Amino acid sequence: MMPLTALCALRFPCAMAFLDHIHACNRHDLDRFRPLVVAGQHVGWVRGDVAWHLEHHADTFAVSEDMVGLHPRLAAPDDRSAAVDRVCQELAEQWKTPSLRGERYRVARRFSDTPLMTVDRGVVSLFGVRAFGVHVNGFVRDGTKLKLWVAKRAVDKAVAPGKLDNLVAGGQPAHLSLMDNLVKEAAEEADIPEALARTARPVGAISYCLEDQWGLKPDVMYCYDLEVPKGFTPHNTDGEVEHFTLMDVEEVAHRVRTTQDFKFNVNLVILDFLIRHGVLCPDSESDYADIVHGLKRGW
Amino acid sequence: MMPLTALCALRFPCAMAFLDHIHACNRHDLDRFRPLVVAGQHVGWVRGDVAWHLEHHADTFAVSEDMVGLHPRLAAPDDRSAAVDRVCQELAEQWKTPSLRGERYRVARRFSDTPLMTVDRGVVSLFGVRAFGVHVNGFVRDGTKLKLWVAKRAVDKAVAPGKLDNLVAGGQPAHLSLMDNLVKEAAEEADIPEALARTARPVGAISYCLEDQWGLKPDVMYCYDLEVPKGFTPHNTDGEVEHFTLMDVEEVAHRVRTTQDFKFNVNLVILDFLIRHGVLCPDSESDYADIVHGLKRGW
C-alpha cells in the first residue's frame, strides 16, 4: 500500500507551497502541555498524558496541575540525568514510550548555557526540551550556477526513511562542539575529509516546534554552507544514506515547492539556502517575508 | 554639548552587546495602542493620544475604545488615501504631528498584497503601518577577507544624522518594485551603475517593531548583498551621504558590538550579514541563536 505522504503528494501535485512545509513543522497545541521546570528554569514541555505517567514516580518528578519539576533531592546535574533515565527505562518497558538510544542531549534554555542535566536522545520529545542539530548544505559552483549534493536516507532509518536529506546532518550530542560534531558526521555520512569539513561556514539557525507522538520537539538546526570541489563525490560509510545525487538548485527548489520528497525539517534548511543565495526573490515570491520569518518560529 | 547617544557610548564603552541593538529596535508597549483596521484587515496600530486626535475627524475616522477604522463611505483606496492625507495635514498644522513628505507608502499586511490605501511616508508611524525598505551590503572580496563599504550619513539628515549606514538604503515607495527602488537609490546615493546594481542578490529580510515619538514602526528591511569590484569607489550624488569608507568586516563587527556609531536599524542589517557570512560563529558567540531569531522579532 502506498504510504500516506506519497498519496498526499499525488493528490495535491501543484497545490503545495513553500509555506506548507513551515506549517507542517510547527503544528502543536501548547494547551495540552505543562512547563518542565528544572532549577527554576523553564526548559521544556510535558504533555498531560506523559505527566500522568511521571506522577507515579514521585521520587524523581514533582508533578502539579501547573508544571512538572524534579524532586528537590536531585540538585546535581548527574543525579538528575540518572534518575530521569531510570524512569524513562521503566516507562519504555511498561508503556512502550520511546526507548533509550545511548546518546546524550543537553537540557538548557540555550545551546551556550551550562546544561542543567542531560537526557537520552530517544526521550527528548517526551520532555519537550530544545534539541539542537547541525545541517550542512553541500554545494558546488558551476560558473554562475549552483548545484546541491542531496542524500537519500536509507530505507531502514527510524525517522523519515527513504526521504531526501542534506549532504550532512546530525543531532547535537551533549559533549561535542557544533563544529566537531559536523566533522564527525561529515566523515561518517559522506566520507568528507576533516580539512574540507572544517571549511563549512556557519550561516545561521532555523527553529521550529512540532508535536510528535509523545510530546514536543522545539528544535534548533544550526546551518552551514560547505562549498565542495567539483571533483569530490561523497560516499556513505555508516549505512544511513542510500546514495548521493548532485542536483541543480532550481530542481531542488522545484521539488521542495511541489513534493514531500525531502525530510520534513530539511525543507526548511533548503528554503533558508534558497533565500540566502537569492534563488527566491522578494519581488516575485509572494510569501517571501512569511517564509523568512517562518524559519524562526520555534524560538 | 555632546549628544546623548555619544555620552551613552562613552559611559558604556565595553558593556554593549550585539543583542542590545536588537532590543533597542524592539522597544514598544502595545497596550497603549489600538488596532487600525481597514477593509476588515488589521494593518496598523494607533496610539491612544493619536486616536484622541483622530476622533475629532469623524468624517474620515471611526474611533472606538477597541480599534480605529475608516468611515464606511471611504470604500476606494484612492478615497481613503486622500481623506487621511487631509486629516494628517490638519493635525500637522494644529498639533505639530509629523508633516507630509510627498512620498507614498503602501498600506497592506504584506508587501505582496494589493494595497488598501497609501499614506505619506512622514505619517507612517502615526498609523503604525508596516513600512518596507531595501538595504544593500556593499562588499569587496580581498582574497579570503571581506570588506564592507560604509556610508556616513550627512549631518543634516532628519533621522540619525552623522551615523554610519549601509552602502545603499532607502524606504520603499508604493509604486516601485524592490529591485527598481534599489537601482534608483544606488544611483542617487552611491553613483552605482544600473548594471552593477542589478547584480545585488536578495538574501532575506529583517523585521523589528519600534515605538517612536508619535507611534509605532513595525518595519521590514529587505536585505541585499552586492559584491562590488575592487576598483569601484562609490560617490554620493544627492547630498545624503558625507562620505564612504571601505572597512574590514572585523572592524565593522567590532564597532557594531561596542559602539552606537551605526544607525539604529543598520546594526541589525550588519548582524545579519555577519551571521550569513560566518563572521559570527555559533560555537563561540553565546548569544548566537538569540541574535538570529532577534532579527525577525517584528513580524
Side-chain angles (χ1 to χ4, degrees):
Chain A
M1 195 184 130
M2 193 173 283
L4 185 62
T5 49
L7 270 174
C8 291
L10 283 177
R11 281 184 58 200
F12 308 110
C14 299
M16 283 202 66
F18 287 138
L19 274 180
D20 291 342
H21 295 298
I22 292 172
H23 296 321
C25 285
N26 286 283
R27 277 199 216 105
H28 61 263
D29 176 7
L30 272 191
D31 288 346
R32 303 166 65 195
F33 287 81
R34 307 180 205 180
L36 171 70
V37 177
V38 177
Q41 292 189 45
H42 176 192
V43 290
W45 295 94
V46 179
R47 208 166 52 200
D49 54 331
V50 176
W52 182 87
H53 288 309
L54 301 182
E55 222 171 328
H56 294 87
H57 298 270
D59 56 338
T60 299
F61 289 98
V63 178
S64 73
E65 282 297 306
D66 301 325
M67 57 171 272
V68 174
L70 294 185
H71 192 286
R73 78 181 167 87
L74 300 168
D78 285 351
D79 293 342
R80 293 173 188 145
S81 309
V84 169
D85 272 6
R86 274 193 298 275
V87 173
C88 290
Q89 194 72 56
E90 276 188 50
L91 291 182
E93 285 157 17
Q94 284 181 12
W95 298 99
K96 305 291 175 216
T97 56
S99 39
L100 278 57
R101 294 168 61 168
E103 198 178 324
R104 307 305 300 179
Y105 271 26
R106 56 177 84 187
V107 176
R109 292 203 317 122
R110 305 190 311 169
F111 182 71
S112 56
D113 291 350
T114 306
L116 302 169
M117 59 188 276
T118 62
V119 291
D120 188 275
R121 179 176 186 169
V123 298
V124 162
S125 79
L126 220 55
F127 298 104
V129 300
R130 182 163 281 151
F132 304 92
V134 294
H135 283 250
V136 181
N137 301 291
F139 72 98
V140 177
R141 277 187 214 278
D142 190 0
T144 57
K145 289 179 73 77
L146 285 177
K147 292 169 186 271
L148 275 167
W149 276 108
V150 173
K152 187 175 197 309
R153 296 163 67 86
V155 290
D156 58 358
K157 291 275 284 185
V159 177
K163 290 281 184 180
L164 302 182
D165 205 338
N166 294 117
L167 172 60
V168 174
Q172 180 60 36
H175 64 290
L176 287 177
S177 72
L178 293 164
M179 182 49 88
D180 288 344
N181 186 33
L182 186 158
V183 168
K184 179 180 82 68
E185 295 283 349
E188 290 171 5
E189 292 189 354
D191 201 17
I192 296 174
E194 176 168 349
L196 176 57
R198 287 201 182 274
T199 65
R201 188 174 78 179
V203 289
I206 287 167
S207 61
Y208 61 88
C209 188
L210 176 63
E211 190 168 340
D212 74 0
Q213 190 191 348
W214 286 104
L216 203 67
K217 290 171 61 60
D219 288 358
V220 173
M221 300 183 284
Y222 289 95
C223 300
Y224 293 76
D225 279 2
L226 175 60
E227 184 166 355
V228 176
K230 266 191 187 175
F232 178 81
T233 302
H235 296 284
N236 180 248
T237 67
D238 64 1
E240 298 199 358
V241 174
E242 197 177 285
H243 60 73
F244 292 96
T245 316
L246 189 61
M247 283 188 201
D248 288 344
V249 73
E250 291 78 14
E251 187 192 340
V252 174
H254 178 71
R255 289 181 73 164
V256 170
R257 195 194 288 270
T258 59
T259 74
Q260 301 189 42
D261 292 347
F262 281 87
K263 187 187 165 208
F264 65 103
N265 57 2
V266 172
N267 289 295
L268 276 50
V269 179
I270 291 172
L271 280 170
D272 178 69
F273 184 89
L274 299 175
I275 294 278
R276 286 185 294 99
H277 288 268
V279 180
L280 300 194
C281 177
D283 273 318
S284 53
E285 192 71 40
S286 62
D287 292 332
Y288 189 86
D290 291 320
I291 295 168
V292 169
H293 291 87
L295 298 175
K296 319 287 171 183
R297 277 182 52 186
W299 201 243
Chain B
M1 197 183 129
M2 193 173 284
L4 186 62
T5 49
L7 271 174
C8 290
L10 282 178
R11 282 183 59 198
F12 309 110
C14 299
M16 284 201 67
F18 287 138
L19 274 180
D20 292 342
H21 295 299
I22 292 172
H23 296 322
C25 285
N26 286 282
R27 277 199 216 106
H28 61 263
D29 176 5
L30 272 191
D31 288 345
R32 303 165 65 196
F33 288 81
R34 307 180 204 180
L36 172 70
V37 177
V38 177
Q41 291 189 47
H42 176 192
V43 290
W45 295 94
V46 179
R47 207 164 55 200
D49 53 333
V50 176
W52 182 85
H53 288 309
L54 301 183
E55 224 171 327
H56 295 85
H57 298 270
D59 56 337
T60 299
F61 290 98
V63 178
S64 73
E65 281 298 306
D66 300 326
M67 57 172 271
V68 174
L70 294 184
H71 192 286
R73 78 181 167 86
L74 301 167
D78 285 350
D79 293 341
R80 293 172 188 145
S81 308
V84 169
D85 272 6
R86 274 193 298 273
V87 173
C88 290
Q89 194 71 56
E90 276 188 50
L91 291 183
E93 285 156 17
Q94 283 180 13
W95 299 98
K96 306 289 175 217
T97 56
S99 38
L100 278 56
R101 293 167 61 169
E103 198 178 322
R104 307 305 300 179
Y105 271 27
R106 56 177 86 188
V107 176
R109 293 203 317 121
R110 306 189 310 168
F111 182 70
S112 55
D113 291 350
T114 305
L116 302 169
M117 58 189 276
T118 62
V119 291
D120 188 275
R121 180 176 186 168
V123 297
V124 162
S125 80
L126 220 55
F127 298 105
V129 299
R130 181 163 283 149
F132 304 92
V134 294
H135 282 251
V136 181
N137 301 291
F139 72 98
V140 177
R141 277 187 215 278
D142 189 0
T144 58
K145 289 179 73 78
L146 285 176
K147 293 169 186 270
L148 275 167
W149 277 109
V150 173
K152 188 175 197 309
R153 297 164 66 87
V155 290
D156 58 0
K157 291 275 284 186
V159 177
K163 290 280 184 181
L164 302 183
D165 205 337
N166 295 116
L167 171 60
V168 174
Q172 180 60 37
H175 64 288
L176 287 177
S177 72
L178 293 165
M179 182 49 87
D180 288 344
N181 186 32
L182 186 158
V183 168
K184 178 180 81 69
E185 295 283 348
E188 290 171 5
E189 292 189 355
D191 201 17
I192 296 174
E194 175 167 351
L196 176 57
R198 287 200 182 274
T199 66
R201 189 175 76 180
V203 290
I206 287 168
S207 61
Y208 62 87
C209 187
L210 177 62
E211 190 169 339
D212 73 2
Q213 191 191 348
W214 286 105
L216 203 66
K217 290 171 59 62
D219 288 358
V220 173
M221 299 183 284
Y222 288 95
C223 299
Y224 293 75
D225 280 2
L226 174 61
E227 185 166 354
V228 176
K230 266 189 185 175
F232 178 81
T233 302
H235 296 284
N236 179 249
T237 67
D238 64 1
E240 299 200 358
V241 174
E242 196 177 287
H243 60 74
F244 293 96
T245 316
L246 188 61
M247 283 188 201
D248 288 344
V249 73
E250 291 79 13
E251 188 193 339
V252 174
H254 178 71
R255 288 181 73 165
V256 170
R257 195 194 288 272
T258 59
T259 75
Q260 300 189 42
D261 293 347
F262 281 87
K263 186 185 166 210
F264 65 104
N265 56 2
V266 172
N267 288 295
L268 276 49
V269 179
I270 291 172
L271 280 170
D272 179 68
F273 184 89
L274 299 176
I275 294 278
R276 287 185 295 100
H277 288 268
V279 180
L280 299 194
C281 177
D283 273 318
S284 54
E285 193 71 42
S286 62
D287 293 332
Y288 189 87
D290 291 320
I291 295 168
V292 169
H293 290 85
L295 297 175
K296 320 286 170 181
R297 277 181 53 185
W299 201 241

